[in-house]
Amino acid sequence: MNIFVILKRTFDTEEKISVSNNKISEDSAEFIINPYDEYAIEEAITLKDAHGGTVTVVTVGDEDSEKELRTALAMGADQAVLISNEDLDSQDQYTTSSVLAAYFKDKEYDIILGGNVAIDNGTGQVGPRLAELLDIPHVTTITKIEINGTAVNIERDVEGDLEKIETTLPLLVTAQQGLNEPRYPSLPGIMKAKKKPLETLELDDLDIDEDDVEAKTKTVEVYLPPKKEAGKILSGDTADQVKELVSLLRNEAKVI
Amino acid sequence: MAKKVLVLAESRDGALRNVSFEAIAAAKEISGGGEVFAVLCGDSVQSLANELIHYGADRVLVAENEKLANYTTDGYFQALKQIINDESPEAIVFGHTSLGKDLSPRLAARLESGLISDVTGLEQAGENTVFTRPVYSGKAFEKKLINDGLIFVTVRPNNISPLEKDESRTGEVKSVSVEIKDLRTIVKEVVRKASTGVDLSEAKIIVAGGRGVKSEDGFKPLQELADVLGAAVGASRGACDADYCDYSLQIGQTGKVVTPDLYIACGISGAIQHLAGMSNSKVIVAINKDPEASIFSVADYGIVGDLFEVVPLLTEEFKKVLV
Ligand SMILES: Cc1cc2nc3c(=O)[nH]c(=O)nc-3n(C[C@H](O)[C@H](O)[C@H](O)COP(=O)(O)OP(=O)(O)OC[C@H]3O[C@@H](n4cnc5c(N)ncnc54)[C@H](O)[C@@H]3O)c2cc1C
Ligand SMILES: Cc1cc2nc3c(=O)[nH]c(=O)nc-3n(C[C@H](O)[C@H](O)[C@H](O)COP(=O)(O)OP(=O)(O)OC[C@H]3O[C@@H](n4cnc5c(N)ncnc54)[C@H](O)[C@@H]3O)c2cc1C
């Protein structure tokens, strides 16, 4: 089976965030594989173990993304592709999905797995957009997948309800938390990953004209929310605190 | 410039979702005095149409087809695609719901348009409508616009105020027949887990429990408080993973994103993934026995203490004052 994972290198949002020049500052930021993409990688490896084939991870990013690709290889992916975005002046979800579509155009794929959402930009657009450009079905926020030949049975999370879906390959799916527990790269895995193939492609290699993939949206401002005043931590004996809280919620916050 | 704006209305259990009324309000603003029309899809949804008009839609198109009984990407995609071709709207507003998140990017790809997802506010800036949305798990915000062409956005539930309901408003309700060809994904079964009653993403008050609740029974005092307040009960991932409650209650990045007027977090530590789902709540109360818990950093009011002592007292106190 030809299994692909689309992976995004993201800012670790557990870290402190600051804004400078209308941008989230990347100085001293920690970067990670988007957590939902880790579920996608894990599932891809599991599918390969069950059905054979190869797992290829693909990202559109700058040269630093090699680190995240190597981590995916260390987890057990077979090969990686870095599509350089360094020639792009502007990039939004339209851009990213168009670039990915150009890559997949002449590839043979049975299944493409991605994350349900990237934790930094958080739109969840890239997966379904790519599926449409490739004219294959997609299923979002999956928590279980079983493949038999070309028949696919999926469970997906729909705002807490569970939907059972039947579909066929080729297919694009996006991973929701609960799909699996991603493995940590093992030491031998990390050693092997260094020798696994990692191909870098420029936009030219994909016959992409930058103008054709120019972003359709523009960010005009990035800002931090006004600093919340330190909350009021109540004191005194519990019964008094409770009375005070009820009164504050009614008279000060006026929410009850 | 006046624009023609399409709103996709969503229903659940035979009733329209509030987010659809909020989407109409957003659409009105984008339309700049133009026309807002709503689209309803399903197998028998005609009866809901007038309420959309009461909330501000100028007219409603009802696409009824048995293949639209359950949401499928392909079914809705084909219906919407046909209506968009016929009507040529200049802007489209969906709710940022499970359905909206699944469908909007695919449509945007087909329409070769930009899409601004998860909008929490909007304003006019000259000729443009500028949209605000949270990024970085809610730690920052960005303002975005669509460079040119179709304006396509999804709005986060409970953030944009709906227009006041006016039952005297009238407007055209028209059936459109849509052709639905093959569905490549088929819904075999929907296992309902979300409790009926107050929809978490639209609740005005939420009482949420975390791992600190310690057991399934531990949710009982929270439920009692919620009942007194007319609130919904939610949970952290920690509580769901420990099997204290169903995953359908989960709030956060993976679960529901909520913006109630009041969020009462009981025994929740306040991990970033949880905060991503609730930090925009208007007023946050934290009850936690650990004074260092990060939930206190977003709380407006905090009580450091044992939730099993505090929550029942709160319930009693509210009972007294709310009679
Ligand atoms: C130089 C530069 C400029 C940028 N300018 C803008 C801008 O003006 N406006 C703007 O909105 N964004 C901008 N971005 C951000 C970037 O375009 C988006 O983050 C990207 O398109 C993915 O969108 P998302 O974060 O919403 O991902 P989502 O759609 O939430 O991601 C969902 C899933 O899609 C897959 N995926 C997402 N991104 C990639 C990728 N790059 N490669 C492979 N798979 C991926 C992953 O599986 C991911 O889990 C810029 C980035 C760069 C590097
Ligand atoms: C990709 C990814 C996505 C995630 N998505 C989500 C998500 O959507 N939602 C989510 O919630 N989490 C999510 N998580 C998990 C998140 O990181 C935390 O693990 C989780 O939120 C912790 O739950 P908790 O606060 O209930 O538990 P804990 O962190 O264990 O906190 C329990 C708290 O209860 C307090 N406590 C204990 N006993 C009492 C008592 N008697 N009275 C008062 N207080 C008490 C303790 O002091 C502690 O602060 C995600 C994680 C990942 C990696």
Side-chain angles (χ1 to χ4, degrees), chain A residues 11-17 19 24 26 35-36 92-94 97 116-117 119-141 153 156-168 171 176-178 214-226 228-235 238-239 241-243 245-246 248-250 252-253 255-256, chain B residues 12 17 71 73-74 77 96-99 101-102 105-106 108-110 112-118 130 132-148 184-194 199 201 205 229 237 246-248 250 253-256 261-262 272-273 279 281-285 296-304 309-310 313-314 317-318 320-322:
Chain A
F11 206 102
D12 186 352
T13 53
E14 298 203 17
E15 300 290 316
K16 197 167 160 48
I17 304 269
V19 170
I24 299 289
E26 298 196 345
Y36 295 91
D92 68 358
Q93 293 77 16
Y94 168 82
S97 52
N116 123 55
V117 69
I119 58 168
D120 50 0
N121 241 301
T123 70
Q125 290 186 22
V126 171
R129 273 185 182 268
L130 176 60
E132 175 59 20
L133 296 175
L134 300 176
D135 197 17
I136 58 172
H138 79 250
V139 183
T140 48
T141 56
N153 285 296
R156 68 183 288 253
D157 167 38
V158 183
E159 299 182 23
D161 290 337
L162 186 155
E163 227 175 62
K164 298 189 177 174
I165 304 264
E166 242 176 51
T167 183
T168 52
L171 174 72
Q176 169 69 316
Q177 190 179 29
E214 197 184 330
K216 300 272 184 190
T217 57
K218 191 163 101 190
T219 302
V220 289
E221 193 185 339
V222 177
Y223 61 98
L224 299 179
K228 221 174 161 155
E229 273 177 50
K232 214 178 258 181
I233 305 289
L234 307 182
S235 56
T238 313
Q241 289 188 42
V242 165
K243 277 205 179 69
L245 177 62
V246 169
L248 286 166
L249 290 175
R250 282 167 65 82
E252 186 177 88
V255 283
I256 289 187
Chain B
R12 197 180 153 88
R17 297 184 68 167
Y71 169 76
T73 314
D74 283 353
F77 181 91
H96 196 66
T97 56
S98 188
L99 186 162
K101 286 186 243 184
D102 187 75
R106 188 150 194 140
R110 172 64 71 91
E112 293 184 30
S113 78
L115 169 63
I116 302 180
S117 305
D118 202 14
V130 174
T132 303
R133 58 184 301 275
V135 286
Y136 295 82
S137 308
K139 284 190 176 173
F141 288 85
E142 63 175 7
K143 291 193 176 183
K144 296 198 74 161
L145 51 80
I146 302 229
N147 291 334
D148 52 25
R184 291 172 296 184
T185 56
I186 297 163
V187 179
K188 296 307 278 185
E189 192 187 342
V190 182
V191 185
R192 289 298 296 270
K193 297 200 164 170
D199 179 348
S201 55
I205 304 180
L229 295 173
R237 180 81 186 184
D246 193 81
Y247 282 103
S248 59
Q250 185 183 334
Q253 198 175 69
T254 318
K256 297 203 168 86
D261 292 338
L262 175 60
I272 179 69
Q273 297 90 351
S279 62
S281 304
K282 276 161 213 109
V283 174
I284 297 171
V285 171
F296 287 117
S297 69
V298 298
D300 299 277
Y301 305 109
I303 293 186
V304 178
E309 189 190 345
V310 176
L313 284 172
L314 258 182
E317 190 62 26
F318 275 121
K320 275 190 231 154
V321 300
L322 290 178

Side-chain angles (χ1 to χ4, degrees), chain A residues 74-251:
Chain A
M75 286 172 73
D78 300 296
Q79 53 191 35
V81 179
L82 176 83
I83 307 171
S84 166
N85 64 2
E86 276 164 37
D87 290 338
L88 291 171
D89 295 333
S90 66
Q91 184 184 353
D92 68 358
Q93 293 77 16
Y94 168 82
T95 316
T96 306
S97 52
S98 304
V99 170
L100 287 169
Y103 168 79
F104 279 104
K105 199 175 53 192
D106 58 0
K107 296 284 176 302
E108 281 189 23
Y109 45 84
D110 296 298
I111 187 162
I112 303 173
L113 302 102
N116 123 55
V117 69
I119 58 168
D120 50 0
N121 241 301
T123 70
Q125 290 186 22
V126 171
R129 273 185 182 268
L130 176 60
E132 175 59 20
L133 296 175
L134 300 176
D135 197 17
I136 58 172
H138 79 250
V139 183
T140 48
T141 56
I142 72 162
T143 51
K144 190 174 176 188
I145 179 165
E146 274 169 13
I147 302 181
N148 272 311
T150 58
V152 186
N153 285 296
I154 289 178
E155 292 182 3
R156 68 183 288 253
D157 167 38
V158 183
E159 299 182 23
D161 290 337
L162 186 155
E163 227 175 62
K164 298 189 177 174
I165 304 264
E166 242 176 51
T167 183
T168 52
L169 300 178
L171 174 72
L172 183 145
V173 294
T174 73
Q176 169 69 316
Q177 190 179 29
L179 179 61
N180 52 43
E181 274 305 321
R183 69 194 68 189
Y184 288 101
S186 65
L187 199 56
I190 295 170
M191 299 311 288
K192 268 197 234 158
K194 292 185 178 150
K195 299 202 189 78
K196 288 184 179 173
L198 190 153
E199 181 186 15
T200 302
L201 297 173
E202 301 297 328
L203 297 185
D204 277 351
D205 299 326
L206 297 172
D207 284 329
I208 295 174
D209 183 340
E210 289 161 52
D211 293 343
D212 293 338
V213 297
E214 197 184 330
K216 300 272 184 190
T217 57
K218 191 163 101 190
T219 302
V220 289
E221 193 185 339
V222 177
Y223 61 98
L224 299 179
K227 238 195 155 39
K228 221 174 161 155
E229 273 177 50
K232 214 178 258 181
I233 305 289
L234 307 182
S235 56
D237 90 52
T238 313
D240 291 339
Q241 289 188 42
V242 165
K243 277 205 179 69
E244 189 184 352
L245 177 62
V246 169
S247 138
L248 286 166
L249 290 175
R250 282 167 65 82
N251 305 321

Side-chain angles (χ1 to χ4, degrees), chain B residues 36-179:
Chain B
V36 173
F37 70 103
V39 174
L40 258 174
C41 297
D43 63 349
S44 69
V45 286
Q46 178 97 28
S47 59
L48 303 174
N50 276 321
E51 198 176 358
L52 292 166
I53 291 177
H54 298 160
Y55 274 100
D58 297 309
R59 69 192 161 95
V60 181
L61 296 180
V62 184
E64 285 184 329
N65 186 309
E66 57 185 25
K67 286 188 177 154
L68 297 173
N70 268 320
Y71 169 76
T72 58
T73 314
D74 283 353
Y76 269 57
F77 181 91
Q78 292 171 42
L80 265 297
K81 185 70 192 22
Q82 184 186 321
I83 290 168
I84 291 166
N85 279 351
D86 293 347
E87 294 277 345
S88 312
E90 292 151 292
I92 302 179
V93 185
F94 284 10
H96 196 66
T97 56
S98 188
L99 186 162
K101 286 186 243 184
D102 187 75
L103 184 63
S104 60
R106 188 150 194 140
L107 264 179
R110 172 64 71 91
L111 301 168
E112 293 184 30
S113 78
L115 169 63
I116 302 180
S117 305
D118 202 14
V119 165
T120 56
L122 65 164
E123 68 206 88
Q124 293 307 126
E127 287 282 277
N128 292 310
T129 310
V130 174
F131 300 92
T132 303
R133 58 184 301 275
V135 286
Y136 295 82
S137 308
K139 284 190 176 173
F141 288 85
E142 63 175 7
K143 291 193 176 183
K144 296 198 74 161
L145 51 80
I146 302 229
N147 291 334
D148 52 25
L150 179 73
I151 294 176
F152 196 170
V153 299
T154 63
V155 294
R156 178 182 284 202
N158 232 355
N159 279 267
I160 291 159
S161 307
L163 303 173
E164 194 148 345
K165 187 173 183 178
D166 174 0
E167 298 198 21
S168 67
R169 268 188 110 242
T170 55
E172 181 192 33
V173 176
K174 200 171 107 189
S175 291
V176 284
S177 74
V178 285
E179 196 189 341

Side-chain angles (χ1 to χ4, degrees), chain B residues 206-210 213 219 222 232-236 251 263-268 274:
Chain B
I206 294 175
V207 180
V213 164
F219 264 96
L222 275 58
V233 172
S236 71
I251 289 167
Y263 190 90
I264 306 180
C266 312
I268 295 179
H274 188 76

